[in-house]
Amino acid sequence: MHSSAVKVKICGITRVEDATLAAELGAWGLGFIFSDKSPRRCSVTTAREICRGLQHRDVEKVGVFFNEKVEDVNAIIEQVGLSYAQLHGTETPEYCTQINAKILKAIQQLNPEDENLLDAYRCWFLLDAPPVADQHGGTGHTANWALGRNIAKKYPLFLAGNLGADNILRALQEVRPLGADLSSSVEESPGIKDHEKLRQLFQVLQDAKYVLRSTR
């Protein structure tokens, strides 16, 4: 396999030791979920403490939100020191322009085949598996890779949905995304990362000569 680049985001971070290891291994970004509906919810206080400990590490801090008020999202961005807001609801393009951070917009709740709609967002996208009940990510289900491949040809796309060491290379080869977003597949339990699974994941990518923390 030829060397290529991929951004790896580890989501559902709630502990400093998990964040530190993921950053050391080469994660491009760490995701902190602020939705009350998620079993991986991280408090603002905890997220701020973790991010302060990572100030000297080359890793993006991503806040995950679901249809929150703009002012609430911006307040958390400032308090925690987030560089990205990952929006998992039905947030509009106009909404996104009011957020004081770069945007990673989840599109499974939109019409991801509507190019006019995607063009209006002017941001990076994330394709996850369909929601399960009130869970809009980290469900352990797989996204539509064929759809993801079509989107990734035209837009910067992160692929999520049941990705792990056993299938990450196939997903990257088939979809060709800008990045991969992982959560449940590298956990002991919701919000608690399995350090051996994290190491296995990044070792698989390194063995396949993927360049981590890319700036593409």
Side-chain angles (χ1 to χ4, degrees), residues 5-11 27-31 60 62 84 86 88 103-108 123-129 143-145 147-149 151-153 155-161 163 168 171-172 175-182 213-216:
V6 63
K7 299 178 188 293
V8 177
K9 174 176 165 284
I10 302 300
C11 200
W28 164 85
L30 304 174
E60 303 289 349
V62 184
Y84 281 80
Q86 181 174 319
H88 265 264
I103 301 295
L104 183 57
K105 180 70 186 84
I107 56 177
Q108 58 272 10
C123 65
W124 291 358
F125 296 120
L126 180 140
L127 181 66
D128 205 340
N144 184 335
W145 288 7
L147 175 60
R149 181 169 58 250
I151 296 171
K153 290 176 181 177
Y155 304 97
L157 180 74
F158 272 68
L159 182 68
L163 300 177
I168 187 69
L172 295 177
V175 179
R176 301 290 182 180
L178 172 67
D181 192 359
L182 301 96
R213 286 204 188 98
S214 69
T215 57
R216 185 175 66 181

Side-chain angles (χ1 to χ4, degrees), residues 105-144:
K105 180 70 186 84
I107 56 177
Q108 58 272 10
Q109 291 210 76
L110 307 175
N111 179 2
E113 297 182 74
D114 183 345
E115 290 189 18
N116 289 330
L117 176 62
L118 297 186
D119 285 343
Y121 276 94
R122 300 183 180 277
C123 65
W124 291 358
F125 296 120
L126 180 140
L127 181 66
D128 205 340
V132 175
D134 285 336
Q135 246 186 294
H136 296 269
T139 64
H141 292 256
T142 304
N144 184 335

Side-chain angles (χ1 to χ4, degrees), residues 41-169:
R41 182 184 181 277
C42 185
S43 71
V44 172
T45 299
T46 297
R48 183 172 61 241
E49 291 174 353
I50 293 172
C51 288
R52 283 179 177 171
L54 296 169
Q55 286 180 344
H56 302 295
R57 293 190 179 275
D58 180 23
V59 64
E60 303 289 349
K61 291 86 172 178
V62 184
V64 181
F65 304 93
F66 180 78
N67 287 339
E68 302 290 344
K69 294 179 180 178
V70 167
E71 54 266 32
D72 293 341
V73 173
N74 284 335
I76 293 175
I77 288 170
E78 183 175 0
Q79 291 170 36
V80 177
L82 301 174
S83 47
Y84 281 80
Q86 181 174 319
L87 307 176
H88 265 264
T90 56
E91 299 90 355
T92 65
E94 293 73 22
Y95 176 104
C96 292
T97 63
Q98 301 176 67
I99 299 301
N100 299 330
K102 288 172 277 190
I103 301 295
L104 183 57
K105 180 70 186 84
I107 56 177
Q108 58 272 10
Q109 291 210 76
L110 307 175
N111 179 2
E113 297 182 74
D114 183 345
E115 290 189 18
N116 289 330
L117 176 62
L118 297 186
D119 285 343
Y121 276 94
R122 300 183 180 277
C123 65
W124 291 358
F125 296 120
L126 180 140
L127 181 66
D128 205 340
V132 175
D134 285 336
Q135 246 186 294
H136 296 269
T139 64
H141 292 256
T142 304
N144 184 335
W145 288 7
L147 175 60
R149 181 169 58 250
N150 289 334
I151 296 171
K153 290 176 181 177
K154 302 175 183 178
Y155 304 97
L157 180 74
F158 272 68
L159 182 68
N162 197 32
L163 300 177
D166 60 336
N167 67 356
I168 187 69
L169 296 183

Side-chain angles (χ1 to χ4, degrees), residues 14-22 24 50 192-193 195 198:
T14 63
R15 303 192 304 174
V16 64
E17 57 266 40
D18 299 344
T20 301
L21 178 61
E24 288 176 351
I50 293 172
I192 306 300
K193 301 309 176 194
H195 288 196
L198 280 174

